[in-house]
Structures are given as C-alpha cells and as structure tokens.
Amino acid sequence: SDSRSTGRKEVRLEVVPGSASQAAQPRQLAFTVDIRGMTCASCVSRVERGILAVPGVIEATVNLISESAAVKGDEAQLNPANVLDAIQNIGYEASLQKSSAQTTLRLWMAGGMTGR
C-alpha cells in the first residue's frame, strides 16, 4: 500500500492480485466519525445498524471506548453527511473526524509477479 496525502483527503493505492473481472470494483471511501452519548453495547449495536442502513455503506465498526465509528463505502454512493444524519436521528451527537476521509483505489493484477 502506498499512502499519498492530497490536502484533506488521503488516497491509498493497493495492488491486489486478481483477475480482470475484478477490475470493475468501486472506489472505496473510508472515514471516521466521532460519536458522543453512547453508554453501552446496546448503543453501539443501534448506531452500527443505523450506519449500515445508509446507502453506499459497505462496512461500519463502532467502538464504545473511543466513541467513534470507522465507516467504509462506495465513493460513488456514500455521502458522509448522510451517516452523520443517521447517527443524529438515532439520538447521538456525531461529527466527522478532521482529515479522516480517504479513498482507496484497488489496482488488480492478472497473473503473477516475476522476480526480475
């Protein structure tokens, strides 16, 4: 993986062995949300379900101790503001962590690598 900072948004490049049919994978957007007001595992579960219901979200991991959520989704569909709205509609305070948004571009390689 190669990380390159481009101002507020980080772009991560990954070279992944695979087939040409996998090349159509969507670009992924990943960001972290600060969440205030969670007090128990039930809160975590409720917030996680709320985030996963947002269009474009592929993965959401909510952490009670750090009061945050790591969110990944399809960049073409996912709007971080919709995630914040979903969390606030459940009854918690939410804000996007500064400079947490990053896009992952997956580069698929057909065949193997040679040792030249």
Side-chain angles (χ1 to χ4, degrees), residues 73-111:
D74 179 353
E75 184 182 47
Q77 296 180 339
L78 181 56
N79 181 345
N82 293 342
V83 172
L84 297 179
D85 289 345
I87 295 168
Q88 291 165 352
N89 288 339
I90 296 168
Y92 302 95
E93 293 180 38
S95 60
L96 189 61
Q97 276 189 5
K98 291 182 182 171
S99 69
S100 74
Q102 67 178 347
T103 300
T104 300
L105 300 174
R106 291 185 182 259
L107 305 176
W108 297 94
M109 266 182 19

Side-chain angles (χ1 to χ4, degrees), residues 19 26-27 29 33 35-36 38 41-42 50-51 63 66 68 73 77 85 92 98-99 105 114 116:
S19 68
R27 288 170 43 144
L29 175 65
V33 177
I35 305 167
R36 286 164 304 288
M38 296 187 299
S42 242
I51 294 171
N63 186 306
S66 67
S68 66
Q77 296 180 339
D85 289 345
Y92 302 95
K98 291 182 182 171
S99 69
L105 300 174
T114 61
R116 293 183 189 193

Side-chain angles (χ1 to χ4, degrees), residues 18-88:
S19 68
S21 65
Q22 292 172 309
Q25 294 280 332
R27 288 170 43 144
Q28 267 192 5
L29 175 65
F31 56 92
T32 304
V33 177
D34 288 323
I35 305 167
R36 286 164 304 288
M38 296 187 299
T39 58
C40 63
S42 242
C43 297
V44 169
S45 179
R46 190 171 179 200
V47 169
E48 209 163 77
R49 282 193 313 269
I51 294 171
L52 288 169
V54 174
V57 172
I58 296 168
E59 181 182 324
T61 306
V62 179
N63 186 306
L64 177 62
I65 302 302
S66 67
E67 295 184 297
S68 66
V71 181
K72 292 182 182 177
D74 179 353
E75 184 182 47
Q77 296 180 339
L78 181 56
N79 181 345
N82 293 342
V83 172
L84 297 179
D85 289 345
I87 295 168
Q88 291 165 352

